[in-house]
DNA sequence: CTCCTTTATATTTTGCACAATTTAAACGTA
DNA sequence: TACGTTTAAATTGTGCAAAATATAAAGGAG
């Protein structure tokens, strides 16, 4: 039997495409907050731990220093956070939120709500989808290791 | 009740993250074929219709000319396709596969198989997930229109 | 035919992603 | 203590994405 090798059957494409559609939907809110989506993710990480190393942020978001270093510098120049080399271990750069960065949390809660509302899905359906996709990510990443 | 406003609860992040994980998994194969992932998507579109306008490719992949023009030029310089301005309507640029571009199809069938295999999911589960994500994309995009 | 609007593509600019390499600090072990 | 290894961040280079703008051809109303 011949596999249907069509664009529309590609799960990778529907995920890639969905991700970009969500980012487009977020744009108006992100623009108001004057941040980008990856910057929002960094803020999410820092709202949970006010202080973090670049390495830890990289593990949480699965991004490397080549992406994070310039991104964090841009956020620093906007006074959302501070970067400081650790005294204990000078290889480590510690990132901490400023008041301004912490204050953005208030205005950002509407972001995930936007997605929940527009998805027309129940809370349970969303959690279910979230679990499924995380599992897929894990499988794909593990398959990568070997 | 207070909403849990955590990174791990964000569906947008799990989708964004999954998409990148799949791309990372594809890298070794894509590198062998000397193409990038968006270039693979363009090829998928062209394997279905050997000839296409830039506009049509943009609709299929949901990408604009700002992304496609340089991407298609790179593919042209690698002799995977030809770009030619239409004689009927000079605003339109027609893209058609070369033999080399068409021949890549053989070697590319393993790409979606890679994902299917590593996902550890049944064909039915994958189709189901594909449908759910497409529906979500649609809802998110429609919510955007208003 | 002329002006106005629409359409298709291209250009410019900003900001990710990520591979590959570099730098420098920290650590381990003889 | 010296030396090789590991680790954390930064740097460099390529290629998307997407907003904003530009260009030029096509189509339509008067």
């Amino acid at each position: 039997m011949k596999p249907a090798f069509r664009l529309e059957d590609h799960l990778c494409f529907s995920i890639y495409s969905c991700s970009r559609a969500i980012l487009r939907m977020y744009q108006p809110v992100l623009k108001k907050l004057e941040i980008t989506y990856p910057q929002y993710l960094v803020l999410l990480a820092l709202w949970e731990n006010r202080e973090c190393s670049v390495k830890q942020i990289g593990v949480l978001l699965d991004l490397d220093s080549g992406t994070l270093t310039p991104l964090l510098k841009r956020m620093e120049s906007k006074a959302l956070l501070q970067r400081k080399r650790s005294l204990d271990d000078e290889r480590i750069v510690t990132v901490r939120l400023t008041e301004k960065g912490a204050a953005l949390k208030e205005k950002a809660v509407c972001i995930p709500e936007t997605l929940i509302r527009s998805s027309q899905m129940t809370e349970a359906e969303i959690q279910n989808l979230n679990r499924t996709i995380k599992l897929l990510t894990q499988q794909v990443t593990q398959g990568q290791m070997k």
Side-chain angles (χ1 to χ4, degrees), chain A residues 14-30 37 40-41 111-116 118-119 121 126 129-130 133:
Chain A
S14 68
I15 293 173
Y16 163 82
S17 193
C18 183
S19 180
R20 290 193 298 112
I22 294 172
L23 299 201
R24 274 199 299 275
M25 181 183 62
Y26 283 172
Q27 275 319 303
V29 198
L30 291 171
Y37 181 69
Y40 167 66
L41 294 180
I111 291 179
E113 287 168 4
T114 304
L115 177 55
I116 292 170
S118 81
S119 73
M121 293 165 72
I126 290 177
L129 180 56
N130 201 18
I133 292 177

Side-chain angles (χ1 to χ4, degrees), chain A residues 34-36 39 73-81 100:
Chain A
E34 297 184 287
I35 54 175
T36 64
Q39 291 175 16
K73 283 182 178 175
R74 278 188 291 272
M75 293 179 78
E76 186 176 36
S77 77
K78 286 189 285 190
L80 297 173
L81 50 80
K100 182 180 173 189

Side-chain angles (χ1 to χ4, degrees), chain A residues 15-146:
Chain A
I15 293 173
Y16 163 82
S17 193
C18 183
S19 180
R20 290 193 298 112
I22 294 172
L23 299 201
R24 274 199 299 275
M25 181 183 62
Y26 283 172
Q27 275 319 303
V29 198
L30 291 171
K31 192 165 189 178
K32 249 175 248 166
L33 304 186
E34 297 184 287
I35 54 175
T36 64
Y37 181 69
Q39 291 175 16
Y40 167 66
L41 294 180
V42 168
L43 289 176
L44 273 178
L46 290 171
W47 289 326
E48 284 181 51
N49 322 312
R50 193 172 183 110
E51 187 163 323
C52 243
S53 70
V54 172
K55 172 75 179 171
Q56 287 175 306
I57 296 175
V59 170
L60 287 171
L61 305 187
D62 199 14
L63 290 170
D64 71 10
S65 68
T67 301
L68 285 175
T69 297
L71 193 160
L72 293 170
K73 283 182 178 175
R74 278 188 291 272
M75 293 179 78
E76 186 176 36
S77 77
K78 286 189 285 190
L80 297 173
L81 50 80
Q82 283 194 325
R83 293 160 64 253
K84 197 165 59 178
R85 215 160 264 279
S86 159
L87 296 178
D88 298 353
D89 184 339
E90 294 199 7
R91 293 170 304 178
I92 296 174
V93 169
T94 293
V95 177
R96 75 155 51 228
L97 277 182
T98 60
E99 279 309 309
K100 182 180 173 189
L104 271 188
K105 187 172 182 177
E106 291 287 317
K107 296 180 188 169
V109 283
C110 66
I111 291 179
E113 287 168 4
T114 304
L115 177 55
I116 292 170
R117 190 148 20 78
S118 81
S119 73
Q120 306 271 44
M121 293 165 72
T122 67
E123 193 70 29
E125 285 171 327
I126 290 177
Q127 280 177 23
N128 213 32
L129 180 56
N130 201 18
R131 261 194 302 276
T132 305
I133 292 177
K134 276 182 184 169
L135 184 59
L136 176 59
T137 305
Q138 199 182 315
Q139 300 286 4
V140 156
T141 306
Q142 285 189 355
Q144 195 49 8
M145 296 306 174
K146 64 187 177 192

